[in-house]
Amino acid sequence: MKFSIFVGDIADAPAEALCTSTNPRLSLIMGSGASIRRRGGPAVMRACEALLAGRTNLPPGTAHPTTAGALPAKVAIHCIASDAAHRSSEAIVRSCVASALACAHALGCASVAAPIFGTGHARLRFATAAEAMAQSAAETPSPIEHLIFVTNDEENVATLRAILETAAGQTIHIERSQKVEPEGDSFWSFSPGMD
């Protein structure tokens, strides 16, 4: 599996499957979840509401696919990167990666873009979460061809690149978004990794 880094908004990442890092209630109000909800349109939130029908929470470490709505991606995959108390862990992050890759493959996707799980509201350290994600992806047998690690924080790029090169034993390509976020959206796009 090829690894690369995309610096920018998850909704602009060039992948067939776009992951969110969210909570057990699929709130999609911060970070990657907010971006995909906003840019994908109402169909994304309706699909999340259908996933939760009859349930209070979804289990941490699991991944749940929905439509990507108006986005060009084939699918959005919502990764439950924290528990109900908004705590994350390396084990939860590793499980999210394996679950997301399995979902993407089952839906016929060759490429997956994912934020660094658990580093927003759940406050897992960026390097800790990135290492857990890289190790899980490297150790998980998967036919997925390309995993794109997404960050919207330029300060984390060098750390992420070093972690990925160690885990994958390959030179990591970095692509930066050419799009500029509209003013007024900074609250929703804030965080080093996302929810």
Side-chain angles (χ1 to χ4, degrees):
M1 181 186 315
K2 176 185 173 185
F3 291 173
S4 69
I5 297 170
F6 181 79
V7 184
D9 189 322
I10 186 78
D12 295 322
E16 294 177 302
L18 301 178
C19 296
T20 67
S21 177
T22 190
N23 58 41
R25 296 201 43 78
L26 297 177
S27 300
L28 305 188
I29 59 169
M30 291 178 65
S32 58
S35 179
I36 289 174
R37 174 186 53 78
R38 183 180 70 242
R39 301 268 302 275
V44 175
M45 204 64 235
R46 283 196 299 268
C48 287
E49 289 166 359
L51 279 173
L52 276 169
R55 296 193 253 190
T56 304
N57 292 309
L58 295 172
T62 59
H64 306 271
T66 68
T67 179
L71 289 165
K74 285 184 181 180
V75 63
I77 300 176
H78 306 285
C79 299
I80 313 304
S82 65
D83 61 20
H86 303 293
R87 293 173 304 216
S88 192
S89 68
E90 291 175 69
I92 290 172
V93 167
R94 291 173 68 88
S95 181
C96 281
V97 171
S99 297
L101 293 174
C103 279
H105 172 60
L107 294 167
C109 298
S111 57
V112 177
I116 307 306
F117 297 141
T119 58
H121 197 261
R123 303 205 190 297
L124 196 60
R125 281 184 59 247
F126 184 89
T128 300
E131 285 174 1
M133 287 183 71
Q135 290 167 2
S136 181
E139 294 167 4
T140 301
S142 174
I144 297 297
E145 296 171 14
H146 189 186
L147 178 56
I148 303 165
F149 292 78
V150 179
T151 180
N152 59 6
D153 188 341
E154 193 69 47
E155 292 183 10
N156 287 323
V157 173
T159 298
L160 181 56
R161 184 179 205 172
I163 288 167
L164 296 181
E165 288 183 345
T166 298
Q170 58 184 258
T171 300
I172 302 299
H173 172 74
I174 299 171
E175 180 179 350
R176 288 174 172 80
S177 175
Q178 301 305 307
K179 296 192 178 182
V180 177
E181 280 293 310
E183 287 187 36
D185 281 352
S186 59
F187 172 79
W188 298 116
S189 59
F190 170 78
S191 80
M194 310 301 169
D195 289 341

